[in-house]
Structure formats: C-alpha cells, structure tokens
Amino acid sequence: MRKMTSGVSVIGAGESPYTRHPASGTTTERVLADAVRRALADANLRTSEVDGFAACSFTLGPDHAIDLAWRLGLRLRWLMQDTNGGASAGTMLQHAVRAVESGDASVVVLVAGDLMDQQVHLKMVAEYNRATAEHLVPLDMLGPNALFALLTQRQMKAEGLTREDYGRLAVAQRAWAALNPGAVYREPMTLDDYLNAPMVAEPLGRYDCVPPVTGADAVVVAADERAAGRRRARVLTVSARYNSDDQTGDGLVTGLADCASELWDTAGHGPADVDVVSVYDDYPAMALAQLKDLGLVAGGEMPGFIAERLATRKLAVNTSGGQLSAGQPGSAGGMHGLVEIVRQLRGQAGQRQVDARLGLFSGYGMVLYRYGACATAGLLEAAE
Amino acid sequence: MSVIVQNCRTCGGQWFPARLMCPRCGGDDLAPRSIERGVVEQLTHLGDVVIASVACDPEPLLVARLHGTVETGDVVELTDRPDTSGRPVAFVPPIGRPGEELS
Ligand SMILES: [Zn+2]
C-alpha cells in the first residue's frame, strides 16, 4: 500500500535563464550551478546546509553527479544521478521525499539541465540510445519529430482532433508565455501563424515542435520544519511508471494512466480540485494524452475541452508557456513544469499568477523506439 | 526480401528491436524469424524521406522508411537493406551490427 508523503515540501525553486544562443564559454556545469544557486537563494539556504543532491543531464559527461557536487562544494549524505530526461523531475522527487521522510537527508537539491546548441542537439538525438542508432538514424530520421507525427495522426483519428485543435493549445501556451519573462518565445501568436508555419512532418508544423534551449532548473526539497512558517509547496504524492507497455501500443496512453488512480486516491483529491497544471509538452499531442491519462479530460471530449478550457485559459495549464514557448532545456524539460508549479503555489508567478492551492505536474520521456517510456507525476499543495 | 524479428519459442511473441528476455513470458529462447510484409498504418514526410509505422501480422510494429509509391493501408514488402530500385518497399534497419548474429 502506498503511503502519502508526510511533512516534505519544496521550499525553493530556480531556473537558469533559457537561451537559444548560449554565450561562448557556457558549459553544462555552469548552467546547472546557476540553477542550484538560484534555488538555494530562493529557499534562503546556503550550500553548507545541503546534504542531499540529485542531478540529471544529457551533456554533463564525462562528469557525474559526484563531480558536480564536488565542484559545487556540497558535502552529502545522499546522492543520486538520474537519466530519465523529461520524466526526471518526478523520478528524483519520488526518491528525494522518501529520503527526507526516512531521515537519510534533510535538505535535498534536485537539478536538471543542459547546454543545448544545434550541434549538441544533433549529436544527442543521433546517439540517444542503441535502438535509435541502429534502427532509426539509418532511416535518415534524426530526432523524434516523425515518430510523434505518426502518433499525432493516430490521436487525431482516435479523438476527432484537427490541426486547429492543436493550434489552439499552442496559441494558449504562447499567451501564457507572454506573461513569463523567462520564456524564449513571448511575441503573440495567432491560429493563422500556427497553421501557416512551415511543415516539419505532417501533421506537425514548426509550432508543434519545441525549440531546444540551453538552461537548467532546480528545486530544494526539505522537511517542513526547515520551512519555518514560510510559503512552501507540500508534496502530497509522487507516482511513476516505466516501460508500461513494451512499446507495443499506439503511444496514445502513457504510463500516467496507471499513475492516476493512486495519485488521486493517495492525495484524497480528484482532477476537478486542481488549480494549476504542468504537463510535459514535447508535442501538443503528448500534453493532451497526459491530461487525459490524469483524468482532466475524458476520451472523445478533447476538442471541446481545448476550446472551452485551454484556449480560454480557464484551466491553468502550462502557465510558463510550457516547453513549446519557454523552450526545451534538454533534460530539464520535466523540471521546468515542477518549477512552475512551485512558483504558482508559492505566489511567485508574477503577471501569470493564478489562485492556486493544488498543483499537478507530470513528466514524460525517453523515446525507446516508437514513443516515450517514462512517466512521472506529482501533486503539491500550497502550505504555510 | 524480409526483415528478421525475434520469435519467442515459448509463447510465440514476436519482437523488434531485439529484447534480452521475452516481455510477455520472460523466456529467453528467442529465435530469428523472417517477416516478408506488413501494413502501412500511418506515414509522414521529412522532406523527401517517408517514415511510416508498419504493422506485421500479428506483431510487431515497425518504424520504416518507405520507397516507391506506397499509401496508408497498403500491404508493403519489408526489406532490411536500403532499396532505391523504385519498387514499393519498407526499409527496416536490421538487428545487430554487421557480422553479429541475432541473439
Ligand atoms: Zn515469450
């Protein structure tokens, strides 16, 4: 039986500013360090108070989490290195809350990020895993766009969705991004802009694909007593599924479908209770798939949900602009959504602040052959 | 022309890319099996490159590059070598590096 998380909160968050064009001399470790420094400053803690550390990065090599900890001057009781890309925030948070509960650590910093210029990005997607190198790259297919074009076609057929529907989601996220100084694309976008953009792999156009950026995100996880009366984001529960279907399905159902009931049951809340949501939006189709798996929209009801809840921004989804407008900072894509939820719950979201007590984030990623195989989600609650 | 997939001799499951143990029954008696054709489920274009999801009967699902004139719903011949002869084929890069045996 799963136990609800007790007495563990996220007490700080930080993001190293995203950029499409990193200045010369930028390194992965410096970007990660910048996010850690900002998260600790937000939590009003010093590095000497950190005793747990977890890191995820595609481009940190040959260094590991311990090298990074050493260069940050962290002396630790608890250390983890994660490789789950877009799902890493949930993976690391799931481990960290239990570490804090059990007393193995008292203050844990989680960080993810990458230096991601075009050259690094091409190398990463070519060498993503063995199945990619052996079975996808020889097709003259670099990167996952074509795979998610095929998946999006399946979703359009199954859910009765059109390109306009996906466009409304992208346009709504751009409108949120306009309120986020940290988003790389903030200029207004219309549905016509979306529909008339160059085709990448039909039905996916330019605005269905995330812009790779250099950046990093970090959060500080600690026992509630460390928060000492300050606003915090209490972790109610975290749930994960890995390789839920051996890549034998249509990819329209993620592992989150299996997470959902235990998430809601454990936390004693339902989908209707959520005030702010970050879902992993590597493509609009995946954002919708996760919203469905988590119970925020029922099958067959997506077009109406998009028009009435997302396009109107009545439901606060991906309020940072998401990766589609804020950018995809390599492995920090999942952490980006968690940082946004923490900021919303702690009242730090500036112009895009919504009235939020309960926040939900999800991560998704690691394309094995046909679609992603890692799925994580967590519920957090504003607390004093 | 064909593509070699794994066939589990215990449960009959068919897998691609290669697994180390059968995801369905946990067995490790995985033998090569030739599959000659599949049905194009969806296709998309990356410039001139046509990428498709191809379903074998009864499994597995393959990611392939289409050559020649092929449409969604067509039965297409499978090949594990690039084929630019103009015939309608679906190219699926094989399991194992050159010189390596399957399983
Ligand atoms: Zn078997």
Side-chain angles (χ1 to χ4, degrees):
Chain A
M1 188 61 202
R2 283 168 52 80
K3 279 195 307 182
M4 186 160 137
T5 306
S6 57
V8 181
S9 292
V10 178
I11 61 169
E15 187 167 273
S16 185
Y18 293 2
T19 174
R20 291 281 277 158
H21 305 287
S24 68
T26 305
T27 64
T28 292
E29 63 179 11
R30 285 188 183 281
V31 174
L32 291 167
D34 187 44
V36 169
R37 185 180 58 73
R38 289 167 187 267
L40 284 173
D42 187 39
N44 198 23
L45 291 172
R46 295 184 304 275
T47 51
S48 59
E49 294 170 279
V50 176
D51 61 359
F53 182 64
C56 179
S57 174
F58 292 126
T59 56
L60 185 60
D63 276 6
H64 302 96
I66 182 58
D67 301 280
L68 187 59
W70 170 49
R71 289 180 190 271
L72 288 166
L74 301 178
R75 298 192 184 97
L76 304 167
R77 296 195 287 149
W78 185 93
L79 177 68
M80 128 177 221
Q81 180 160 356
D82 181 72
T83 58
N84 290 332
S88 69
T91 304
M92 294 192 289
L93 186 62
Q94 186 186 40
H95 286 255
V97 292
R98 299 308 184 195
V100 171
E101 274 181 352
S102 71
D104 286 347
S106 61
V107 174
V108 181
V109 174
L110 313 179
V111 66
D114 282 288
L115 169 67
M116 200 52 71
D117 60 18
Q118 199 180 0
Q119 203 179 351
V120 173
H121 186 252
L122 288 175
K123 184 170 157 31
M124 181 188 77
V125 295
E127 299 170 356
Y128 200 67
N129 62 6
R130 225 177 88 193
T132 300
E134 292 183 359
H135 302 302
L136 300 179
V137 173
L139 303 174
D140 285 329
M141 194 192 101
L142 209 49
N145 288 338
L147 296 178
F148 285 92
L150 302 173
L151 186 152
T152 300
Q153 289 181 28
R154 294 193 284 273
Q155 190 183 56
M156 290 171 86
K157 195 173 168 190
E159 297 288 345
L161 291 164
T162 63
R163 285 202 71 221
E164 283 78 4
D165 292 318
Y166 295 109
R168 287 184 190 101
L169 182 150
V171 168
Q173 289 195 195
R174 180 61 64 88
W176 283 116
L179 307 174
N180 176 12
V184 295
Y185 290 114
R186 305 181 61 208
E187 63 278 17
M189 182 169 77
T190 66
L191 190 56
D192 277 346
D193 294 335
Y194 169 90
L195 293 170
N196 295 329
M199 197 53 75
V200 173
E202 78 273 15
L204 303 184
R206 174 179 292 166
Y207 297 117
D208 293 297
C209 304
V210 289
V213 297
T214 292
D217 289 79
V219 295
V220 181
V221 180
D224 279 353
E225 36 286 16
R226 299 297 294 239
R230 280 175 299 148
R231 194 88 188 254
R232 59 189 189 272
R234 207 157 74 88
V235 183
L236 299 181
T237 182
V238 184
S239 180
R241 290 294 186 278
Y242 306 104
N243 186 35
S244 56
D245 69 357
D246 292 305
Q247 302 277 292
T248 60
D250 56 17
L252 302 184
V253 179
T254 73
L256 295 178
D258 294 329
C259 295
S261 63
E262 70 183 26
L263 263 183
W264 300 122
D265 291 351
T266 309
H269 287 286
D273 301 334
V274 171
D275 303 307
V276 61
V277 182
S278 292
V279 285
Y280 190 84
D281 57 330
D282 49 349
Y283 298 92
M286 292 322 303
L288 293 171
Q290 289 161 66
L291 290 167
K292 180 182 171 186
D293 289 345
L294 292 165
L296 280 93
V297 56
E301 295 178 6
M302 279 186 190
F305 169 80
I306 293 166
E308 290 150 29
R309 304 285 285 152
L310 297 186
T312 57
R313 293 190 281 144
K314 283 181 185 164
L315 185 61
V317 175
N318 292 349
T319 52
S320 68
Q323 298 180 81
L324 288 168
S325 283
Q328 180 175 64
S331 59
M335 195 66 93
H336 175 80
L338 173 58
V339 163
E340 179 66 9
I341 292 299
V342 170
R343 285 176 170 173
Q344 288 282 0
L345 294 179
R346 297 181 73 225
Q348 296 174 315
Q351 280 189 285
R352 64 190 188 282
Q353 181 69 50
V354 299
D355 183 18
R357 296 293 302 169
L358 189 66
L360 169 68
F361 80 96
S362 68
Y364 169 81
M366 304 314 290
V367 174
L368 298 185
Y369 178 56
R370 298 176 58 242
Y371 45 79
C374 297
T376 53
L379 273 169
L380 295 92
E381 181 182 59
E384 291 286 344
Chain B
M1 287 205 311
S2 63
V3 164
I4 309 281
V5 305
Q6 285 178 316
N7 171 232
C8 175
R9 285 204 254 228
T10 309
C11 75
Q14 295 189 151
W15 310 107
F16 189 96
R19 309 299 210 273
L20 301 166
M21 294 195 276
C22 176
R24 196 163 291 146
C25 74
D28 62 358
D29 191 3
L30 301 168
R33 169 176 286 185
S34 290
I35 297 193
E36 285 166 7
R37 58 190 63 82
V39 176
V40 176
E41 288 197 309
Q42 301 87 29
L43 63 83
T44 190
H45 294 77
L46 282 173
D48 296 333
V49 176
V50 185
I51 300 292
S53 176
V54 176
C56 304
D57 183 19
E59 58 187 4
L61 290 160
L62 304 172
V63 182
R65 177 173 177 177
L66 301 181
H67 293 281
T69 305
V70 184
E71 290 175 21
T72 301
D74 286 358
V75 175
V76 67
E77 279 191 80
L78 300 174
T79 177
D80 58 9
R81 287 170 202 185
D83 187 323
T84 52
S85 66
R87 287 177 310 160
V89 293
F91 165 50
V92 178
I95 292 173
R97 297 178 188 86
E100 276 186 6
E101 294 296 314
L102 179 71
S103 85

